[in-house]
Amino acid sequence: MSVGLVLEGGGTRGAYTSGVLDVFNENQIVFPVVYGISAGACNALSYISGQVGRNFRIFYDYIQDDRYMSVSSLRKTGNLFGFDFIFGELSHKLLPFDYQAFFASPTQLMAGTTDLHTGEAIFFGKEDLDEGFTPVRASSAMPFVSKIVRYQGHELLDGSYSTSIPLRRSLNDGNTRNVVVLTRDASYRKGTRSEYPRTALRKIYGKYPSFIEAVQRRPLVYNSELDLCTQQEQAGKAVLIRPGEPIPVGRYEKNPERLKQAYEMGRKDAEQKLPEVRALLAQG
């Protein structure tokens, strides 16, 4: 038996997750494998490399930098989030990422993406990562505000459109117990309507009908993933860490103080859940 760590995405709501992961690192909470989607995959990098506070510094110091996220970045590069900056200068010079520690860590990373041709999830492990962490970039590449990422023969976008909460993948991989970090409070459910009109999807992604269908069914899939989380928690096989109330940020938050508030919420919730997390790891 093994214990997986499952990280939901959510754009800049990922500030909450970064708080949770810093508490894990500070308390030597180590998992064999992390399943990350979108912002969850990004947060997993610094967690696995053991760089406490790095994710906080990234959003707190650079969220208002147009190179990080801006309409001007979208116009210049085709990406709202400046992936070339984030995985380039930011990761190599400004807040250097510890590649050596990351690859030396026994913790594995499974970064989830969505294959445009099949509409299904494709996960990439450490052995698939290049220096620019292209699969993590693909995992975070949201429709309409990101360029399609081409990698290893696949055309990819945000993993959230095939699996927002990859708990089922972790279970299928044999992780009978899981810690799941969510970025929505317990009252949240997705409405039945897709966030993007089918006509808009057809205009931009018309050559990828399976991806369009994946986007359209996302609310149903997401809510079923929430149900699975609850079932696993009630069975004593999962610990859920999520905001006790709606966190004060959206997907594209630019206010660093609000992001700091979300980060502190994540820290507080993780600290409260530490006994449960330790007990679950002991069982695994």
Side-chain angles (χ1 to χ4, degrees):
M1 293 186 295
S2 185
V3 181
L5 175 60
V6 177
L7 307 177
E8 183 183 8
T12 50
R13 287 195 303 274
Y16 175 86
T17 304
S18 66
V20 174
L21 298 182
D22 274 355
V23 169
F24 284 174
N25 266 328
E26 290 164 359
N27 287 274
Q28 293 78 53
I29 302 295
V30 179
F31 295 86
V33 59
V34 182
Y35 294 82
I37 299 294
S38 193
C42 293
N43 274 316
L45 297 178
S46 295
Y47 166 69
I48 294 173
S49 67
Q51 292 177 271
V52 176
R54 181 174 181 270
N55 286 329
F56 174 81
R57 294 254 65 92
I58 288 174
F59 68 74
Y60 193 75
D61 292 350
Y62 292 97
I63 193 65
Q64 293 185 323
D65 189 319
D66 282 352
R67 295 173 296 173
Y68 186 92
M69 181 181 71
S70 65
V71 174
S72 63
S73 173
L74 180 62
R75 290 171 178 164
K76 291 177 182 177
T77 69
N79 294 301
L80 180 70
F81 286 91
F83 295 126
D84 290 339
F85 171 69
I86 293 169
F87 294 107
E89 183 179 356
L90 182 60
S91 293
H92 289 88
K93 295 181 179 179
L94 300 175
L95 289 170
F97 180 72
D98 193 336
Y99 287 86
Q100 184 175 354
F102 175 83
F103 285 105
S105 170
T107 300
Q108 295 300 309
L109 170 65
M110 297 298 287
T113 66
T114 300
D115 185 297
L116 296 189
H117 289 281
T118 66
E120 301 294 328
I122 295 181
F123 284 81
F124 294 89
K126 273 187 178 179
E127 68 278 5
D128 299 307
L129 300 180
D130 55 6
E131 186 173 326
F133 289 107
T134 301
V136 177
R137 178 188 297 218
S139 183
S140 308
M142 291 180 282
F144 294 101
V145 294
S146 304
K147 294 170 67 174
I148 294 170
V149 177
R150 292 171 173 83
Y151 194 66
Q152 293 186 355
H154 301 284
E155 292 184 283
L156 307 165
L157 281 175
D158 193 332
S160 297
Y161 291 89
S162 50
T163 176
S164 296
I165 309 166
L167 175 56
R168 192 173 302 281
R169 172 58 189 259
S170 181
L171 291 169
N172 289 342
D173 285 349
N175 301 304
T176 57
R177 291 174 172 80
N178 291 273
V179 173
V180 184
V181 182
L182 304 173
T183 56
R184 298 282 197 177
D185 67 285
S187 69
Y188 181 78
R189 304 283 290 187
K190 281 196 181 297
T192 56
R193 178 178 292 184
S194 169
E195 62 190 293
Y196 301 116
R198 186 180 289 270
T199 51
L201 287 164
R202 284 175 176 166
K203 182 176 181 180
I204 304 299
Y205 301 108
K207 62 184 287 189
Y208 309 107
S210 294
F211 175 68
I212 293 174
E213 291 307 313
V215 175
Q216 293 291 301
R217 67 174 178 265
R218 186 189 180 203
L220 179 64
V221 171
Y222 183 85
N223 290 336
S224 72
E225 290 174 337
L226 285 178
D227 290 340
L228 178 62
C229 289
T230 300
Q231 292 164 10
Q232 289 289 300
E233 182 184 44
Q234 292 175 344
K237 296 181 179 180
V239 173
L240 306 187
I241 302 177
R242 58 184 170 192
E245 59 187 51
I247 59 177
V249 302
R251 183 182 285 183
Y252 307 120
E253 181 61 58
K254 292 281 282 184
N255 185 322
E257 294 303 324
R258 288 182 182 172
L259 293 170
K260 181 180 180 181
Q261 185 178 348
Y263 170 83
E264 294 296 343
M265 289 175 65
R267 288 191 61 90
K268 179 182 177 182
D269 292 342
E271 287 166 356
Q272 291 177 345
K273 289 282 189 174
L274 275 177
E276 293 179 49
V277 172
R278 287 194 173 106
L280 196 75
L281 284 165
Q283 294 174 34

